[in-house]
Amino acid sequence: MNTPAPEPARGSPSAPSTPASGPQAGSRRARVVIVGAGIVGCSLADELTARGWCDVTVLEQGPLASPGGSTSHAPGLVFRTSPSRTLTRYARYTVEKFTGLHRAGRPCFLPVGGLEVATTEARRLDLYRKAGLAAAWGVEGELVGPARCAELFPMLDPDSVLGGFHTPGDGLARAVDACQAQIERASRRGARFLERHTVTGVEKEAGRVTGVVTDRGTFPADHVVSAAGFWGPVIGAMAGVEVPLLPLAHQYATTAPLPELTGSGTGGDEAVRPILRHQDHDLYYREHLDPAGGPGRIGIGTYAHRPLPVDPYAVLPYDKAPEMPSSLPFTAQDFEPSWTETGRLLPGLAASRVDKGFNGVFSFTPDGMPLLGESDALRGFWFAEAVWVTHSAGAARAVAELMTDGRTTVDAHECDPHRFERAQRSPAHVRERGERSFVEVYDVIHPLQPPATGRPLRTSPFYPRQQELGAHFLESGGWERPHWYEANAPLVEQLGLRPAERDPWSARHWSPIAAAEAKLTRERVALYDMTPLRRLEVTGPGSLPFLQRMTSNNLKKRPGSVTYTLLLDESGGIRSDLTAARLGPERWQLGANTPADLDWLVRHAPEDVHVRDITSGTCCIGVWGPLARELVQPLTPADFSHEAFGYFKARETYVGHVPVTALRVSYVGELGWELYADADVGLRLWDTLWEAGQRLGVVAAGRSAFNSLRLEKGYRAWGADMTAEHTPEEAGVGFAVRPAKGDFLGRDALAARSAPERKLVCLTLDDPAAVVLGSEPVQVDGVVDGYVTSASYGYSVGRCVAYAWLPARTAVPGTSVAVEYFGDKIAATVAAEPLFDPEMARIRR
């Protein structure tokens, strides 16, 4: 990309998992103890031994044949398509791997297909979105009408549904058989699986795990993996590690034998028809056929009941549980509404009854995603938790890759255990959000939809003023973030703005006010709350050589300089990106992305370098727009002229009474500064700027306008537009790599890479009224060959701007493509970037 270095792509809620560390990292002789022989523990042992790590011991408190955790009662549904590309790829790998596994002559995966049906218009439209996600992530699927739904699942009343989404490659995992098949394979490679071993403690020394204590002896270990499922918090407590996970009970029942299913299982299959999801009522169904040819049954799972949290410390041990530890008594009253609804969808079951049922325990995190990676509190202690059978093999592969290679094939930042801030790990917050995750399992969730509980948790010092201005808050990383301000509503008409009418989906969590805020940022000056952006302080005599080694750009500049740079892994993938401000010879402020950036730097820091997170004790206001200098200069004794305070420079000064660190950077492509201050004087800083800005027509502006402006300038957002799967050249940030500066992490790998096969490209939608939001499939020559990462309407350029990963051959301005949006194909064109102010004249005046 032939443009000057843009500002840092910051603001993503999470970051990639960190690699193994310490003297055992990378050693095939490393001693690994896995706690739990469920589907995740067995899959992980198989993946590790396949990579040559064969000193693997798996400890299980129950019998290996069926240990009694969630795996032992799981109905085995595998629907691959998810809004998360990562989870979809984990599920795809699970299907691929289990398809190749057999136990006692039976396959461990039955590709019976999946069928999701809609009984409401909202769900019918969501199935179009689901079909788009499937196409984007490489899952075969088709939208079908009511008659076809009844053909696929004959018990279904076609008059009760509006349509469905059929995915022929989905199906049923025989999880217990898959465990046994992998136990046998891993054992042949040297792993050992020990049943009836209850873990009673985790040994550690000097901040690193050293062993696992059981009721039958102690097992020395260089690495300990908690794959204990809903017992994860118990194992974590033994290690002194918080595990933000809530066990919850989920109801599953089977009908009495059904004559109409007689003979269906004579081929030996336990199911032949697709697994069925009725998500409008939080229900799913699968067959349980009789291999002997007798009457089969229908299994019914429901999330439609009240959340039923379970204390993992109170779960009975295997030998004292009536059936198994994870199978709790069935609460029939909770099931009644689901049984009534089942009779409407599947009328043939109305004459049947529930024969037996149970409340099965499994795990939820505050955001519904797994916990995969190494603890930042105890080295060598790994999480492989909150993983469902659907994603089990893929998640296990990711943890194995992290342990052996230090990076994953599939970006895992959404699953990183560091993504939860300290404030998000309280038992109260984990319970409240975990219960909400359960309630929302089958809900139609908008990509911007904020959590409905546990708010506000983290607020900036400006929060009272934002409330007074009618801020519409959404949440990310626990932070309340204004997306627009109702106080600016009159400006839409005053400025003569006529934003195009949006469809109901894209209109959610959006307001035309964002157009006014974006316009006035371009024409006057606006204040943006940038407090949630992570700030790290790096100090010490070795700070410069350390940062030179860890980052891709040349930071050997005098104090007062600011540099955009990248954190790369050993293979040259983009772990994160940073803004590095050198505030003194041995003092730096880094604008980072997530807690994992801190952990990564701390792991590698030598003794003469200290790295700490200063985010919570500080705040930041972005003052951006052509009048930014007129606003700030009268308030400070420092010279803020372009000659005295150039672009990508930093200085410490005062704004009014408030000490600030001012960085002349702009993530919106306009003149301005990021002003950092201690949190205790943050409100005074806001008031000082707000009062002085009234004569200039200052406005407060939110993230909606911010995202529009940054896409017009082509500024990438780490975690959305680029991840560790991508190299700088592929992502269009190669300007931040300086191989000539000397050795740095990832340098050799980049030099050895061939020309990119895929690139991140800028698209503009041909129809000025069309809008997409992100994650949509992109067609090239009529075939889906890419997907949208970020998108927003560009108010300055008069059309929607979308960034997408596409084949490198299409990265030519003028190339025509199409973006699929709810079944429609929207024409789009690859555009030269940046779209706005390519000469960078506005930002450098």
Side-chain angles (χ1 to χ4, degrees):
M1 186 171 69
N2 297 319
T3 56
E7 291 308 298
R10 297 172 288 169
S12 78
S14 49
S17 300
T18 50
S21 61
Q24 292 81 20
S27 171
R28 291 172 183 251
R29 294 185 299 276
R31 298 166 298 176
V32 179
V33 173
I34 300 171
V35 180
I39 191 63
V40 179
C42 292
S43 295
L44 178 57
D46 183 55
E47 295 287 338
L48 284 172
T49 55
R51 288 164 172 77
W53 279 34
C54 297
D55 191 350
V56 175
T57 301
V58 183
L59 303 175
E60 173 52 56
Q61 63 178 339
L64 289 175
S66 184
S70 301
T71 299
S72 300
H73 72 245
L77 280 65
V78 178
F79 279 89
R80 291 166 296 169
T81 306
S82 163
S84 165
R85 177 174 174 268
T86 295
L87 289 189
T88 300
R89 293 184 69 183
Y90 287 172
R92 284 174 52 189
Y93 180 74
T94 299
V95 168
E96 293 165 7
K97 183 174 186 179
F98 289 2
T99 297
L101 290 177
H102 290 76
R103 169 71 175 167
R106 303 195 312 165
C108 293
F109 182 77
L110 293 177
V112 295
L115 176 64
E116 301 178 53
V117 295
T119 59
T120 64
E121 182 62 16
R123 182 69 61 178
R124 187 186 72 83
L125 290 173
D126 191 59
L127 292 184
Y128 276 89
R129 185 177 71 100
K130 183 71 68 68
L133 290 169
W137 311 148
V139 175
E140 179 189 359
E142 61 172 342
L143 292 163
V144 297
R148 178 60 175 155
C149 289
E151 288 178 14
L152 291 165
F153 204 95
M155 302 180 73
L156 176 71
D157 175 16
D159 293 333
S160 67
V161 301
L162 300 177
F165 178 53
H166 178 222
T167 46
D170 291 340
L172 294 167
R174 289 189 171 114
V176 173
D177 282 348
C179 284
Q180 294 303 310
Q182 292 180 100
I183 286 173
E184 292 170 5
R185 190 158 68 180
S187 297
R188 289 194 296 268
R189 301 186 189 119
R192 57 177 176 167
F193 293 78
L194 303 178
E195 62 183 9
R196 303 290 187 173
H197 281 65
T198 299
V199 174
T200 59
V202 176
E203 295 184 332
K204 50 193 174 180
E205 183 178 342
R208 185 168 187 94
V209 70
T210 59
V212 176
V213 182
T214 76
D215 58 349
R216 299 177 66 177
T218 298
F219 297 83
D222 303 308
H223 300 276
V224 172
V225 185
S226 178
F230 60 81
W231 285 289
V234 178
I235 303 302
M238 295 178 188
V241 173
E242 291 178 318
V243 181
L245 176 159
L246 178 70
L248 285 151
H250 158 62
Q251 290 196 303
Y252 190 79
T254 52
T255 65
L258 301 169
E260 55 265 55
L261 294 182
T262 300
S264 298
T266 53
D269 289 331
E270 61 189 72
V272 294
R273 296 180 180 89
I275 45 179
L276 174 67
R277 289 207 288 193
H278 178 27
Q279 293 176 294
D280 284 322
H281 284 269
D282 299 310
L283 285 159
Y284 65 82
Y285 306 90
R286 59 152 292 181
E287 294 178 318
H288 292 276
L289 303 180
D290 181 3
R297 304 168 187 262
I298 294 292
I300 307 167
T302 179
Y303 298 93
H305 55 82
R306 61 194 168 94
L308 300 168
V310 174
D311 180 359
Y313 290 92
V315 175
L316 294 174
Y318 188 91
D319 292 325
K320 293 184 179 180
E323 290 191 35
M324 64 178 75
S326 64
S327 183
L328 303 183
F330 188 62
T331 51
Q333 69 277 13
D334 288 312
F335 195 76
E336 288 177 4
S338 294
W339 180 248
T340 300
E341 178 58 29
T342 294
R344 282 195 285 265
L345 184 73
L346 308 175
L349 296 186
S352 185
R353 60 181 172 80
V354 173
D355 185 45
K356 57 182 178 180
F358 63 93
N359 290 1
V361 185
F362 64 143
S363 307
F364 281 84
T365 59
D367 62 2
M369 296 292 287
L371 300 169
L372 308 176
E374 189 178 10
S375 168
D376 58 356
L378 180 63
R379 299 306 185 211
F381 186 86
W382 295 80
F383 299 92
E385 293 289 4
V387 180
W388 294 4
V389 171
T390 302
H391 313 110
S392 55
R397 179 180 66 170
V399 176
E401 289 174 336
L402 287 169
M403 295 178 72
T404 60
D405 303 329
R407 69 183 307 274
T408 58
T409 303
V410 176
D411 170 58
H413 82 269
E414 293 176 298
C415 307
D416 193 297
H418 309 112
R419 68 187 183 272
F420 297 115
E421 307 280 357
R422 175 68 176 160
Q424 296 174 292
R425 297 198 296 267
S426 70
H429 190 77
V430 170
R431 175 167 177 146
E432 197 167 282
R433 288 288 174 87
E435 290 183 354
R436 193 67 199 173
S437 293
F438 177 91
V439 169
E440 294 178 344
V441 162
Y442 280 172
D443 287 0
V444 177
I445 304 294
H446 192 276
L448 293 176
Q449 184 170 319
T453 58
R455 298 175 60 199
L457 180 63
R458 308 175 79 192
T459 60
S460 79
F462 323 130
Y463 186 68
R465 299 294 182 262
Q466 294 166 343
Q467 289 180 303
E468 293 168 6
L469 293 171
H472 180 84
F473 291 100
L474 301 182
E475 188 206 74
S476 180
W479 288 99
E480 295 295 320
R481 296 189 175 194
H483 273 242
W484 65 83
Y485 294 85
E486 287 296 330
N488 295 328
L491 295 173
V492 177
E493 185 173 344
Q494 293 173 18
L495 295 170
L497 301 176
R498 297 290 184 270
E501 185 175 344
R502 293 194 173 203
D503 66 276
W505 185 252
S506 65
R508 292 190 193 182
H509 307 293
W510 172 83
S511 169
I513 295 171
E517 294 174 0
K519 183 176 178 62
L520 291 182
T521 303
R522 295 280 189 232
E523 296 180 355
R524 298 185 200 167
V525 62
L527 304 184
Y528 288 83
D529 182 1
M530 307 302 288
T531 301
L533 298 184
R534 184 162 308 281
R535 291 171 290 286
L536 307 180
E537 182 184 72
V538 180
T539 56
S543 57
L544 175 59
F546 166 64
L547 290 175
Q548 285 283 74
R549 164 66 180 158
M550 295 301 299
T551 71
S552 64
N553 213 332
N554 189 4
L555 304 188
K556 193 174 182 180
K557 302 173 183 177
R558 65 183 61 183
S561 64
V562 180
T563 307
Y564 175 74
T565 189
L566 307 171
L567 290 178
L568 304 178
D569 60 26
E570 291 283 2
S571 69
I574 305 171
R575 286 188 52 91
S576 188
D577 61 350
L578 309 173
T579 304
R582 191 175 191 183
L583 303 180
E586 299 178 359
R587 183 165 67 95
W588 304 73
Q589 179 176 299
L590 306 182
N593 283 298
T594 75
D597 295 343
L598 172 66
D599 185 65
W600 178 257
L601 293 172
V602 167
R603 285 172 185 259
H604 291 84
E607 291 185 0
D608 62 349
V609 174
H610 182 63
V611 185
R612 69 185 184 104
D613 191 324
I614 61 172
T615 309
S616 296
T618 56
C619 60
C620 178
I621 298 177
V623 185
W624 292 315
L627 303 182
R629 185 175 286 114
E630 292 184 47
L631 172 55
V632 178
Q633 184 61 83
L635 304 175
T636 178
D639 185 351
F640 270 51
S641 68
H642 180 66
E643 294 73 20
F645 197 157
Y647 182 56
F648 263 55
K649 300 298 180 184
R651 65 173 52 182
E652 294 175 295
T653 182
Y654 293 86
V655 170
H657 295 273
V658 179
V660 300
T661 299
L663 272 59
R664 189 172 168 193
V665 294
S666 172
Y667 202 38
V668 300
E670 293 292 338
L671 171 69
W673 290 264
E674 290 181 354
L675 302 177
Y676 297 88
D678 290 340
D680 59 347
V681 290
L683 192 58
R684 181 64 179 267
L685 176 62
W686 178 280
D687 289 344
T688 300
L689 293 165
W690 185 256
E691 181 180 347
Q694 294 308 299
R695 64 183 177 85
L696 302 173
V698 70
V699 296
R703 299 288 297 189
S704 186
F706 176 89
N707 201 44
S708 170
L709 298 169
R710 70 101 178 166
L711 284 171
E712 291 179 335
K713 286 297 294 179
Y715 295 160
R716 279 67 168 143
W718 187 89
D721 300 316
M722 57 188 186
T723 68
E725 288 187 30
H726 309 116
T727 66
E729 185 180 0
E730 293 169 338
V733 289
F735 57 82
V737 179
R738 295 288 186 268
K741 76 168 185 174
D743 189 34
F744 58 88
L745 198 64
R747 178 177 181 264
D748 293 343
L750 291 182
R753 283 193 176 247
S754 55
E757 295 182 359
R758 306 189 72 80
K759 285 191 173 184
L760 185 67
V761 301
C762 176
L763 305 178
T764 56
L765 303 191
D766 294 356
D767 180 356
V771 173
V772 298
L773 301 181
S775 298
E776 296 87 359
V778 181
Q779 289 190 358
V780 180
D781 297 328
V783 178
V784 173
D785 204 1
Y787 62 93
V788 174
T789 58
S790 298
S792 180
Y793 198 87
Y795 301 106
S796 306
V797 300
R799 62 191 62 244
C800 185
V801 181
Y803 273 77
W805 281 100
L806 293 175
R809 60 182 168 79
T810 68
V812 180
T815 301
S816 295
V817 298
V819 180
E820 293 185 21
Y821 183 73
F822 285 87
D824 293 331
K825 294 178 176 58
I826 302 175
T829 303
V830 176
E833 55 174 333
L835 298 171
F836 185 83
D837 187 27
E839 296 81 15
M840 301 287 284
R842 298 172 67 90
I843 206 168
R844 296 178 181 275
R845 52 187 164 187

